[in-house]
Amino acid sequence: MSLNSKNLGQDNHPKQSISIDVNVNAIETMLINGIDQISNYQKKNPDIYGDAIISNLQKKKKLIYNINKHEEIFINNQKNNLIKIFKYLKFRYKFYLCGIKKIDLGHPPYVLIEPVSTCNLRCPFCFQTDKSFTKKPFMGVMNLDLFKKIVAELNNLEVGAVTMGSRGEPTLHKNLDEMLSFLSKQENIFEIKINTNASFLNEKLCHTVLKNNVTQIVISADHYIKEDYERLRLGANFEKIISNVDLLYNIRAKYYPNSVTEIRITGIDNERNLDRKKFHDFWIKRSDHVAAGYPVERWNTYENTPHEDINDPCDYIWDRMYIWFDGKVNPCDADYKSYLSYGNVKDNTIKEIWDGEKLKKLRDQHLSNNRNKIVPCDRCGTSFCK
């Protein structure tokens, strides 16, 4: 197993880091040098995942699972807190195993919260181009009290990562600053990520992101040439986006020199002809990490031709949960109209929903080679076969 992974996911459409090496040896050396401190913590807080990480470090002098660039950046930004790094590695290891081994932890290790389902852009590879979706009841904004209720429960469950964003553009929410402030105060949530198209990044929002220690802001940008960018990010202004990203990068450099926030540019190689070196070289000047991947066919999942060759169980129903603006819970956002919704956080706790019969039935169907009998799972092009 290679411990230097360029893939930022386990599926067959992963975003891949471009022109990036991960210094795994430096991380392993740091952990081995601090093995006594880590072992003492583990004895007081035992679990099989931490035991496995420590055992592998002691016996093989190696980490037990793949480390990608995102994880390396997080670890380097926390290098003065060895115990936090170890707790983070335990979380990431559990997250990794949940998907590939179909382990139910009793709660989702990772949750994506949708502050807003609307978007200002109409990218050709996105379901926002589906006009039957961009209207009621699918469009809306999350209530702040509902958001706080969700986050408090996630913290109590020790959910390790939260992403702000799913079907819409999260920076459209008027209370995003208060949301991030509340989220940043939760002691058990390691990763706070925002997915954004950067259209609304301004000075105030940049400071909000950075002062609240958002660990990763992922900016969706699909090209380095104006004409191609604006064709793919329909409705965006290339120069404005560049200016906004530069503003974020420069504010971080000037006011937050010890920031834990990773700035990542991620592109969709829609025509599969992106010059990834040029793409990297253009964006790395204003970011820490540049990645690109191929599109997932979800501009209208429901009208896709079923994939007779894909029938493996989906990792997502074990390793994550999506919560829409109205509290509805979903297994993924390829199912953006919620055919497979398995609950609502307004009616039940996250724990009750995760342990509920609807999700159990969906998992059993996937494990019984019946994914191809479920709409839209049967026409989703995502596979996790290794």
Side-chain angles (χ1 to χ4, degrees):
M1 179 190 298
S2 169
L3 292 175
N4 182 349
S5 175
K6 292 191 175 183
N7 287 349
L8 299 172
Q10 300 297 325
D11 60 274
N12 60 336
H13 298 282
K15 305 296 187 297
Q16 290 190 320
S17 301
I18 304 171
S19 301
I20 287 290
D21 288 319
V22 179
N23 190 350
V24 182
N25 291 336
I27 295 171
E28 291 168 340
T29 299
M30 174 183 62
L31 293 168
I32 290 167
N33 289 341
I35 199 72
D36 290 342
Q37 184 184 354
I38 292 171
S39 297
N40 288 334
Y41 170 83
Q42 181 65 12
K43 287 175 184 176
K44 296 174 184 176
N45 304 273
D47 68 350
I48 60 173
Y49 306 100
D51 289 346
I53 292 171
I54 289 173
S55 176
N56 214 70
L57 284 168
Q58 290 175 327
K59 293 177 181 178
K60 299 182 179 180
K61 310 300 180 187
K62 295 287 184 184
L63 277 165
I64 199 168
Y65 73 102
N66 289 339
I67 293 289
N68 62 36
K69 190 63 182 178
H70 162 59
E71 291 165 320
E72 181 196 34
I73 291 172
F74 182 97
I75 290 166
N76 287 337
N77 285 339
Q78 305 289 341
K79 58 187 175 185
N80 294 323
N81 191 336
L82 186 63
I83 297 305
K84 185 170 185 177
I85 290 171
F86 178 62
K87 289 167 68 177
Y88 173 71
L89 286 170
K90 286 205 292 183
F91 154 65
R92 293 296 300 189
Y93 184 46
K94 285 190 284 188
F95 174 67
Y96 167 72
L97 290 178
C98 283
I100 65 168
K101 293 189 177 293
K102 311 300 181 280
I103 296 171
D104 178 9
L105 293 177
H107 63 80
Y110 171 40
V111 173
L112 298 93
I113 303 175
E114 174 185 84
V116 179
S117 61
T118 57
C119 186
N120 59 307
L121 303 184
R122 292 293 180 267
C123 307
F125 43 78
C126 180
F127 39 68
Q128 289 284 346
T129 60
D130 180 353
K131 292 181 180 179
S132 69
F133 169 64
T134 53
K135 60 184 180 181
K136 298 288 186 181
F138 303 113
M139 297 291 101
V141 177
M142 181 172 282
N143 175 275
L144 183 59
D145 289 336
L146 176 61
F147 174 82
K148 290 182 176 181
K149 173 185 176 293
I150 292 166
V151 170
E153 187 175 352
L154 296 180
N155 185 61
N156 289 336
L157 289 171
E158 298 189 357
V159 170
V162 171
T163 288
M164 298 287 280
S166 180
R167 299 178 297 178
E169 171 52 49
T171 61
L172 285 168
H173 201 291
K174 65 179 182 180
N175 297 123
L176 185 63
D177 54 348
E178 194 170 346
M179 288 176 158
L180 292 177
S181 176
F182 185 79
L183 190 51
S184 70
K185 293 180 174 65
Q186 310 306 308
E187 62 181 21
N188 294 319
I189 298 173
F190 296 105
E191 295 183 7
I192 302 172
K193 181 169 81 170
I194 300 176
N195 292 332
T196 179
N197 58 42
S199 296
F200 303 104
L201 276 182
N202 55 31
E203 190 168 344
K204 179 183 177 183
L205 183 54
C206 290
H207 282 288
T208 294
V209 167
L210 295 164
K211 75 182 180 183
N212 286 304
N213 294 321
V214 170
T215 51
Q216 188 182 47
I217 180 166
V218 179
I219 297 165
S220 300
D222 308 309
H223 222 285
Y224 54 93
I225 297 171
K226 174 181 170 63
E227 292 76 12
D228 292 309
Y229 180 93
E230 293 182 353
R231 175 174 54 82
L232 294 167
R233 289 279 151 184
L234 192 61
N237 179 278
F238 183 65
E239 290 83 5
K240 177 62 175 172
I241 299 300
I242 298 301
S243 175
N244 290 352
V245 176
D246 286 345
L247 178 68
L248 174 66
Y249 191 79
N250 293 331
I251 286 177
R252 188 185 65 170
K254 183 175 181 179
Y255 297 103
Y256 304 90
N258 298 313
S259 173
V260 300
T261 302
E262 172 196 353
I263 301 171
R264 186 174 108 198
I265 305 296
T266 295
I268 299 297
D269 186 357
N270 195 47
E271 279 99 32
R272 298 176 179 262
N273 59 4
L274 179 69
D275 187 321
R276 298 198 179 198
K277 184 180 187 306
K278 288 182 179 179
F279 180 70
H280 169 271
D281 292 349
F282 179 84
W283 286 106
I284 197 63
K285 294 177 286 189
R286 44 187 59 90
S287 68
D288 308 304
H289 184 186
V290 179
Y294 297 118
V296 180
E297 47 188 354
R298 58 179 190 174
W299 40 92
N300 189 334
T301 311
Y302 309 100
E303 294 186 4
N304 288 345
T305 301
H307 287 276
E308 295 182 2
D309 57 327
I310 297 178
N311 200 31
D312 57 301
C314 178
D315 289 9
Y316 291 170
I317 49 180
W318 280 271
D319 71 14
R320 68 195 61 194
M321 172 187 282
Y322 289 71
I323 305 178
W324 300 156
F325 74 92
D326 55 1
K328 191 174 289 182
V329 171
N330 224 58
C332 68
D333 60 3
D335 176 33
Y336 56 89
K337 290 183 179 177
S338 308
Y339 283 28
L340 302 175
S341 176
Y342 52 92
N344 192 303
V345 295
K346 292 180 180 178
D347 303 324
N348 297 96
T349 67
I350 290 168
K351 172 69 173 169
E352 288 169 344
I353 294 169
W354 188 256
D355 291 340
E357 286 301 313
K358 284 188 176 181
L359 182 56
K360 183 179 184 299
K361 180 181 178 182
L362 182 62
R363 287 174 178 157
D364 288 345
Q365 287 175 297
H366 273 244
L367 289 173
S368 302
N369 294 318
N370 288 317
R371 167 178 166 171
N372 58 7
K373 296 180 175 65
I374 306 166
V375 177
C377 301
D378 64 335
R379 58 206 65 203
C380 171
T382 300
S383 171
F384 297 87
C385 287
K386 303 299 185 286

